[in-house]
Amino acid sequence: MKRTTIWMSFCTACLLISLVSCEPRKAITLKETIAQKERVAYKILLDKNGPESKKLDLLVKEDYPGALALLNEEEQAFNGLISSLDSLSVDDIKQGSALKKAAIDYYAALKELYTYDRIQIAHQDSLSGLKGEALYAGQQKILELNKQKQLLFDKVFEKESVFHKEQESFNTANNIK
């Protein structure tokens, strides 16, 4: 009888310890899904066969219409990424809504930054054949566009920082290491 009581107490303690130390499955799945979206963004922006790399190659060749077409492809890829994040269910997941919002905000800021190239590319294309004062004015406009783009970079850095902090809060709230 005493052995049974001790055995039951031991089993109960093990069960309680395992329940307390468990990482919630839904939270882990959400974290993994968001990590997969990071890989999608990597492919869009940094993969040598991704739209950003192809666009840059075309810009070097001064193929502005081709670069604009790839920019549309890049924008659609970001739209898909953001849409898939938006459709994620975060019900019953601690800090899930905050993490989802931070991820969407971050990728929306990246999209805004990289699709801003549309304005720059169109303007660069319009400079072809210009000379003298018209060329100088066009170059001044490019400088202004670059300054505006810097503000978009700042926004991305801010959103990335918030995203990172939300990831840490999410991991802490859900006991994920």
Side-chain angles (χ1 to χ4, degrees):
M1 179 90 159
K2 202 171 201 176
R3 282 187 186 173
T4 305
T5 307
I6 292 172
W7 179 250
M8 295 280 286
S9 297
F10 175 74
C11 288
T12 303
C14 287
L15 180 63
L16 286 173
I17 289 171
S18 66
L19 286 176
V20 169
S21 66
C22 276
E23 297 172 336
R25 178 84 335 258
K26 280 181 155 182
I28 292 171
T29 301
L30 179 62
K31 179 181 177 174
E32 290 170 351
T33 302
I34 289 176
Q36 289 171 347
K37 302 307 173 194
E38 277 186 67
R39 288 188 287 279
V40 169
Y42 174 86
K43 286 180 181 179
I44 295 168
L45 298 175
L46 300 173
D47 188 82
K48 73 177 185 172
N49 295 315
E52 180 66 16
S53 292
K54 290 178 181 177
K55 178 183 75 179
L56 292 174
D57 289 341
L58 291 174
L59 288 173
V60 167
K61 296 174 186 173
E62 296 183 9
D63 178 358
Y64 301 116
L68 287 171
L70 277 169
L71 189 62
N72 291 334
E73 181 183 323
E74 188 173 30
E75 182 174 25
Q76 291 305 312
F78 270 115
N79 287 342
L81 187 154
I82 293 166
S83 177
S84 66
L85 282 169
D86 194 39
S87 68
L88 291 176
S89 174
V90 293
D91 297 335
D92 303 325
I93 301 175
K94 296 175 191 171
Q95 297 291 116
S97 293
L99 178 61
K100 177 179 164 179
K101 181 184 179 329
I104 289 170
D105 290 349
Y106 172 61
Y107 292 115
L110 274 176
K111 174 188 162 188
E112 184 180 9
L113 171 65
Y114 284 94
T115 58
Y116 185 78
D117 287 351
R118 184 175 283 118
I119 297 167
Q120 292 178 300
I121 292 168
H123 187 72
Q124 185 67 38
D125 191 24
S126 72
L127 294 180
S128 299
L130 294 180
K131 294 183 178 169
E133 279 298 314
L135 180 59
Y136 178 74
Q139 290 171 334
Q140 288 300 110
K141 179 67 175 174
I142 287 176
L143 181 61
E144 183 58 39
L145 291 173
N146 285 336
K147 288 178 183 178
Q148 291 174 9
K149 191 171 185 176
Q150 180 59 48
L151 297 174
L152 294 175
F153 271 107
D154 294 342
K155 182 178 178 182
V156 167
F157 294 138
E158 174 190 323
K159 298 296 182 182
E160 190 275 335
S161 177
V162 170
F163 181 39
H164 180 71
K165 287 177 185 171
E166 287 301 334
Q167 286 175 317
E168 289 177 350
S169 296
F170 177 83
N171 290 343
T172 300
N174 291 288
N175 194 31
I176 298 175
K177 292 159 179 75

